């Protein structure tokens, strides 16, 4: 794996960091999850754009593009994160939408391998 070869190269270049390097070599990258926004017939488009900006850090243009993709295709990826971060953002969308009585839904699912 790429991670391992980077660590091994570091180890031969720097004899003083042996312990740290041995720990690093055991770390695999965390499993990643994509947060997927789902279409519905009731949530206003403007609200979805605000969700994508506030919760997923998108620019207004990116947010509008993702919102329209979801509107036309039924679903769209808002971001790819480690499990806890993905779960937190799904919950933030749920709370934000529920507070304004919109049925907007999103889910998380294992990200396809690169
Ligand atoms: N389909 C919604 C409408 O016409 C807009 C919308 C887009 C809703 C994306 C949800 O995830 C969504 N008002």
């Amino acid at each position: 794996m790429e991670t391992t070869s980077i660590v091994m190269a570091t180890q031969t270049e720097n004899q003083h960091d042996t312990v740290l390097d041995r720990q690093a070599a055991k770390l695999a990258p965390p499993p990643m999850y994509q947060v997927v926004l789902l279409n519905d017939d009731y949530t206003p488009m403007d609200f979805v754009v605000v969700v994508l900006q506030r919760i997923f850090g998108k620019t207004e243009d990116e947010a509008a593009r993702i919102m329209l993709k979801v509107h036309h295709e039924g679903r769209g990826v808002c971001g790819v994160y480690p499990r806890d971060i993905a779960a937190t953002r799904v919950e933030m969308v749920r709370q934000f939408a529920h507070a304004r009585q919109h049925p907007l839904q999103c889910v998380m699912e294992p990200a396809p391998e690169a």
Side-chain angles (χ1 to χ4, degrees):
M1 182 194 290
E2 184 63 21
T3 309
T4 307
S5 58
I6 290 166
V7 170
M8 299 310 285
T10 306
Q11 203 165 14
T12 53
E13 283 162 22
N14 188 344
Q15 296 293 332
H16 302 291
D17 289 340
T18 309
V19 173
L20 279 178
D21 286 350
R22 216 182 289 132
Q23 270 187 347
K26 280 194 246 167
L27 290 178
M32 301 297 275
Y33 290 79
Q34 57 188 20
V35 176
V36 178
L37 201 57
L38 305 179
N39 191 33
D40 66 72
D41 291 338
Y42 304 103
T43 304
M45 290 183 172
D46 288 356
F47 180 80
V48 178
V49 171
V50 170
V51 165
L52 287 161
Q53 290 177 270
R54 284 215 210 156
I55 299 179
F56 297 97
K58 305 300 183 188
T59 64
E60 189 171 1
D61 282 1
E62 286 172 329
R65 187 183 55 73
I66 294 169
M67 182 280 294
L68 284 175
K69 181 184 173 70
V70 176
H71 178 70
H72 289 300
E73 299 178 17
R75 52 180 271 147
V77 175
C78 315
V80 179
Y81 310 98
R83 187 178 59 214
D84 287 1
I85 295 173
T88 300
R89 291 187 197 210
V90 168
E91 182 57 21
M92 289 167 75
V93 172
R94 198 192 66 77
Q95 284 184 18
F96 188 34
H98 186 252
R100 285 153 185 83
Q101 302 185 325
H102 298 312
L104 182 64
Q105 296 221 29
C106 73
V107 297
M108 59 188 274
E109 52 191 41
E113 303 282 325

